[in-house]
Amino acid sequence: EPPYFGPAATIGGTLACGLSGPRRPYAGSARDAVLGMRILNGQGEILRFGGQVMKNVAGYDVSRLMVGALGTLGVLLDVTLKVLPRPSHSLTLRQSAAPAAAIQRMNLWAGQPLPLSATAYDGEHLYVRLSGIGSAVQAAQARLGGERLADAEATSFWDDWREQRHVFFQGDAPLWRLAVAPATPPLPLPGQTLIEWGGGQRWLRGFRDATAVQRLAAQHGGHGTLFRGGERGGEVFHPLAPPLLAIQQRLKAAFDPHTLLNPGRMFAAL
């Protein structure tokens, strides 16, 4: 359920960015759907990795390495994706909750056999989407409680959330995306924070101290990315530990030794 961010979105762009939407913790990421890929590397060579069937385990899983690489390792020519049927039933519940209570509920539900397909918290209300066969969805609704949104309202809510049309995302203030351990309590940061992915993803607006944000995310087992706005001339991704940076540099040298493909797009050293 990746975001489109406009009508010009493509499969290649979706995979190169590696972004995921509200369904990510419950159905997997874009990377999890990739079976195979054909790319053009920085030396003009056409390479194929993976296959076109589920039971393909030969060789290195390089096709998934390309997901989220922002085109720095190769130009994506074609991909093979695993697809799943849409759930037959879906509904969204809304509950009032304080931040700590919302995080606690999301983590509690994640450990139970519930047909969850999305959770989100906007600072006042906790939204939970249930998707699956009708009997399972109805049983979960009775168990969780809360106000059921009309189908049209629910669709609009999740579309706006995924595409960042929610009022929280409006304006030019810096937008931070923090990935942390799902059970992390509310972070001691000023301003409103949106929470999704069962507590694992936090969105923050307006904070400009990159070092403080990234240090706080690291303290809770995660990382912070300046997703939009702010100072775009410097690094926007969380700094890599030296061993990870060394691996990234070796990958870049193997696929793009002349640094022709989006140089500096992810890190200045790459």
Side-chain angles (χ1 to χ4, degrees), residues 83-95:
V83 295
L84 298 171
R86 289 192 178 193
S88 59
H89 293 77
S90 183
L91 62 84
T92 297
L93 303 174
R94 177 171 58 196
Q95 304 175 355

Side-chain angles (χ1 to χ4, degrees), residues 1-6 9-10 14 18-22 161-164 227:
E1 194 178 20
Y4 298 166
F5 293 150
T10 64
T14 297
L19 300 178
S20 297
W161 189 281
R162 182 192 68 225
E163 300 300 324
Q164 297 189 354
F227 194 80

Side-chain angles (χ1 to χ4, degrees), residues 57-99:
V57 294
Y60 294 106
D61 198 1
V62 177
S63 53
R64 295 190 182 190
L65 181 67
M66 298 294 157
V67 181
L70 298 176
T72 60
L73 299 178
V75 179
L76 310 188
L77 301 179
D78 57 62
V79 299
T80 301
L81 299 174
K82 173 181 67 176
V83 295
L84 298 171
R86 289 192 178 193
S88 59
H89 293 77
S90 183
L91 62 84
T92 297
L93 303 174
R94 177 171 58 196
Q95 304 175 355
S96 297

